[in-house]
Amino acid sequence: RQMCIRDRVDIYNRAKKLHIAANARRVVFLVDTAQEKDNASMECIRSLLGSKTGDFITAVDEKSIIVVKELASEEGYQEMEKTAKQILNVLPAEKQEVSHIAYGTIVEEIKEVSRSYKEARMAMDVGRIFFEEKNIIAYSSLGIGRLIYQLPMSLCNMFIKEVFGEKIPDILDDEEAMSTINKFFENNLNISETARQLYVHRNTLVYRLERIEKAIGLDIRTFDDAMTFRIAVMVIAHMRDQM
């Protein structure tokens, strides 16, 4: 406890010497450009935010850039999402598609900035595993991904065996089948609308879903089985990421 108090005093003293406000609303953005020593992206972000008092930009490792942004009293998560989009849009065009931005929650004191960074880091890792299609991910919107990410491998293995038995179905690596399933889920298990968007006859889609049911042992046309399958796919993604 004494060490924590000393650390806290040291943080406030350093902030005072550097003329940094100790008590201010801040949030941490983590930018991953998937490129080592990306000075060009760093300069683009500096040009966007660097001149604003209270904002700090630095490289945390070879591929990641940290932005510690000071917020006004009326700014909230809607403004943070806009800032993330602005950062993404200011990056060089060829890097916008491969770059990812994650951000933590708003903190009120300088000693809590590290917590916002840890949240942004977790959001980046969870987004990479479960929400690969998203370029921007907020810690506050990780949903079930946050829970699965923190599950121990023993529980993951137990759950997958309960759902699929001893062998993970090969169809989970079938791009066409998974594309059909994802489109079906996007349309809230609506067969007619899914068939229309896939440009196939309704009966063709029904046949595909029946084939999928035989392969996985779940009828994803029902809510319970669809939910079980969706969670199982996320758990498998988490397990493979740990290998």
Side-chain angles (χ1 to χ4, degrees):
R1 185 176 178 181
Q2 288 179 343
M3 179 64 80
C4 291
I5 293 173
R6 282 200 297 270
D7 290 345
R8 187 178 305 175
V9 170
D10 187 51
I11 289 171
Y12 282 109
N13 286 338
R14 286 176 181 272
K16 187 176 181 179
K17 287 180 181 179
L18 295 171
H19 305 289
I20 299 171
N23 296 314
R25 300 175 77 247
R26 294 183 174 93
V27 67
V28 174
F29 292 86
L30 185 62
V31 185
D32 185 351
T33 62
Q35 184 174 335
E36 293 186 3
K37 298 181 180 178
D38 193 354
N39 294 324
S41 293
M42 173 83 81
E43 290 307 311
C44 288
I45 297 172
R46 284 190 189 281
S47 68
L48 175 68
L49 302 171
S51 61
K52 296 181 181 179
T53 305
D55 293 348
F56 302 92
I57 300 105
T58 186
V60 64
D61 54 36
E62 292 296 317
K63 295 183 180 180
S64 300
I65 299 167
I66 288 179
V67 177
V68 181
K69 181 164 178 56
E70 190 171 311
L71 304 172
S73 58
E74 71 277 5
E75 289 184 305
Y77 291 101
Q78 187 174 355
E79 285 74 21
M80 287 160 55
E81 188 72 14
K82 289 179 182 177
T83 298
K85 290 178 181 178
Q86 289 174 343
I87 293 173
L88 187 64
N89 291 335
V90 81
L91 296 176
E94 68 275 10
K95 297 174 186 174
Q96 290 181 14
E97 289 187 7
V98 298
S99 297
H100 294 84
I101 300 175
Y103 57 91
T105 57
I106 298 171
V107 297
E108 303 287 340
E109 299 180 43
I110 194 168
K111 66 182 177 66
E112 296 179 325
V113 168
S114 62
R115 190 191 80 207
S116 188
Y117 166 72
K118 290 175 183 177
E119 292 171 347
R121 172 57 69 186
M122 176 182 280
M124 184 69 78
D125 292 340
V126 172
R128 174 176 50 80
I129 299 170
F130 304 125
F131 312 109
E132 192 176 2
E133 72 284 358
K134 292 186 179 181
N135 291 103
I136 298 172
I137 187 75
Y139 177 80
S140 59
S141 64
L142 295 179
I144 195 171
R146 182 191 293 108
L147 297 177
I148 294 174
Y149 180 76
Q150 297 179 86
L151 286 176
M153 285 298 103
S154 57
L155 287 181
C156 290
N157 280 305
M158 185 183 300
F159 175 71
I160 293 304
K161 285 182 179 179
E162 287 178 0
V163 176
F164 296 127
E166 294 298 324
K167 187 177 183 297
I168 296 174
D170 293 334
I171 203 167
L172 268 70
D173 295 312
D174 185 321
E175 189 174 336
E176 182 183 25
M178 292 305 298
S179 178
T180 297
I181 292 169
N182 290 331
K183 183 63 67 175
F184 187 51
F185 288 168
E186 286 174 17
N187 288 290
N188 298 314
L189 313 187
N190 186 306
I191 291 177
S192 297
E193 182 59 25
T194 303
R196 186 185 70 79
Q197 292 187 20
L198 289 175
Y199 303 103
V200 299
H201 191 277
R202 189 179 188 280
N203 291 342
T204 301
L205 178 59
V206 170
Y207 170 76
R208 288 185 187 178
L209 294 175
E210 288 175 347
R211 184 169 63 87
I212 290 168
E213 180 184 354
K214 290 180 181 178
I216 64 177
L218 296 168
D219 183 2
I220 61 171
R221 291 171 293 184
T222 66
F223 175 79
D224 285 348
D225 279 7
M227 182 173 65
T228 298
F229 180 77
R230 187 66 176 267
I231 294 172
V233 169
M234 295 179 74
V235 169
I236 291 170
H238 173 46
M239 292 169 65
R240 288 176 174 174
D241 182 70
Q242 297 298 308
M243 291 179 179

